[in-house]
């Protein structure tokens, strides 16, 4: 598999693949490149609808030149844990940031969110974020305020009266529920508009369609978030190797149906993600 930076010809092939509606994985297969390379390239340079090969190539050359001229990072920066490749981690963080930006999150908020998600602890102080991202504390404060308002981070007290900003599994659940509540508010307002505009008018019919669609989305989002939290965050009730109690659907003494994770005739418990 070829390594190194993408060539201008490869970028032209990416642009052609996007124009043909190909998925990132298919474009990457044709280039014999990792899918992550194509994803990062596209999201860093305008997204799938605005990607231009010539502009992307010039932008990459400019970024490369700027990095060479930039001052070296703080030599006190701790080494990567678990033998991770520091350059690969940096590139992934940039990819994660650009994907968050593509979803509609502002740039600095995306950088802070990606930085928090990629730490093993899942939490950093304002000063730690400012140092890692090489930005001002004011920029960090503004970004955290936005993420907090969206339910994406939570605050907790640290030693020495400092605040730590935390991102964990439950934060994602809370964010999804906040999104569902926000959509539900739009549904309520849209239905108020139906009464104002008159039930028989085209504008009222349009608002009613909006309300019905978003109502379905809101309920589905909340239901999916609840189900995901129940399934993915469930804890095993017994230690490995101990007999498992009968489920409500299985009476004591009856054979337990095989789960998707356990083939018939085998024993064991599913691994909670």
């Amino acid at each position: 598999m070829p390594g190194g930076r993408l060539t201008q010809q490869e970028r032209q092939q990416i642009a052609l693949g996007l124009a043909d509606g190909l998925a990132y994985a298919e474009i990457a297969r044709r280039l014999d490149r990792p899918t992550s390379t194509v994803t990062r390239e596209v999201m860093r340079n305008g997204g799938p609808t605005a990607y231009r090969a010539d502009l992307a190539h010039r932008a990459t050359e400019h970024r490369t030149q700027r990095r060479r001229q930039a001052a070296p990072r703080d030599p006190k920066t701790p080494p990567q844990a678990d033998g991770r490749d520091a350059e690969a981690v940096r590139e992934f963080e940039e990819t994660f940031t650009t994907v968050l930006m593509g979803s509609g999150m502002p740039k600095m908020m995306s950088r802070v969110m990606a930085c928090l998600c990629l730490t093993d602890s899942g939490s950093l102080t304002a000063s730690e974020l400012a140092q890692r991202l090489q930005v001002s504390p004011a920029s960090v404060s503004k970004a955290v305020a936005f993420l907090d308002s969206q339910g994406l981070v939570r605050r907790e007290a640290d030693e020495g009266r400092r605040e730590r900003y935390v991102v964990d599994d439950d934060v994602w659940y809370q964010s999804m529920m906040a999104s569902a509540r926000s959509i539900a508010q739009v549904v309520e307002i849209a239905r108020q508009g139906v009464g104002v505009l008159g039930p028989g008018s085209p504008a009222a019919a349009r608002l009613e369609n909006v309300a019905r669609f978003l109502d379905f989305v809101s309920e589905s989002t909340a239901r999916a978030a609840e189900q995901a939290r129940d399934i993915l965050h469930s804890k095993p009730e017994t230690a490995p190797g101990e007999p498992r109690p009968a489920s409500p659907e299985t009476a004591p003494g009856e054979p337990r149906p095989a789960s998707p994770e356990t083939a018939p005739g085998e024993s064991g418990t599913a691994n909670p993600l």
Side-chain angles (χ1 to χ4, degrees), residues 24-263:
Y24 294 149
E26 176 60 20
I27 297 174
R29 187 188 66 80
R30 296 186 181 190
L31 294 176
D32 195 19
R33 291 275 193 170
T35 303
S36 60
T37 298
V38 175
T39 302
R40 181 171 60 249
E41 167 68 16
V42 174
M43 297 306 299
R44 184 189 292 169
N45 294 285
T49 60
Y51 182 82
R52 299 293 181 271
D54 54 342
L55 296 178
H57 194 70
R58 288 200 295 269
T60 300
E61 290 181 338
H62 177 70
R63 282 193 296 265
T64 301
Q65 183 178 9
R66 187 173 57 189
R67 284 173 187 161
R68 289 172 181 168
Q69 295 173 348
R73 293 198 170 194
D74 186 349
K76 296 181 181 180
T77 300
Q80 290 291 327
D82 301 324
R84 296 167 182 155
D85 183 336
E87 181 64 17
V89 172
R90 186 196 64 77
E91 289 191 358
F92 177 76
E93 183 172 343
E94 187 173 332
T95 300
F96 194 10
T97 299
T98 54
V99 169
L100 290 174
M101 291 169 59
S103 71
M105 188 180 294
K107 182 177 181 179
M108 182 52 63
M109 292 65 172
S110 298
R111 293 188 67 195
V112 169
M113 191 68 188
C115 188
L116 285 170
C117 286
L118 268 59
T119 58
D120 287 323
S121 65
S123 69
L124 293 168
T125 64
S127 61
E128 288 170 339
L129 280 166
Q131 182 179 11
R132 285 171 177 254
L133 298 175
Q134 297 294 295
V135 297
S136 68
S139 297
V140 170
S141 178
K142 182 178 179 180
V144 168
F146 172 85
L147 295 172
D148 188 17
S149 71
Q150 299 299 309
L152 288 167
V153 301
R154 62 181 173 84
R155 304 167 187 256
E156 65 179 26
D158 192 7
E159 296 179 2
R161 296 175 161 187
R162 296 182 306 176
E163 274 193 336
R164 296 193 72 85
Y165 308 125
V166 183
V167 57
D168 55 24
D169 294 337
D170 194 57
V171 164
W172 291 103
Y173 164 77
Q174 295 295 343
S175 176
M176 293 297 294
M177 296 303 292
S179 175
R181 289 191 295 269
S182 177
I183 295 173
Q185 290 178 350
V186 177
V187 171
E188 181 180 355
I189 295 301
R191 286 190 167 142
Q192 289 179 12
V194 172
V196 172
L197 296 171
S201 68
R206 186 180 305 111
L207 282 181
E208 179 59 31
N209 287 335
V210 169
R212 291 175 62 190
F213 174 80
L214 292 181
D215 192 23
F216 182 87
V217 170
S218 175
E219 291 184 4
S220 299
T221 298
R223 184 165 55 248
E226 293 283 3
Q227 291 174 346
R229 187 173 68 163
D230 291 343
I231 294 172
L232 301 181
H233 296 176
S234 61
K235 301 294 183 182
E237 297 179 0
T238 57
E242 294 183 0
R244 188 168 180 169
S247 66
E249 297 80 16
T250 305
E254 294 183 356
R256 177 182 173 83
S259 67
E261 295 83 5
T262 306

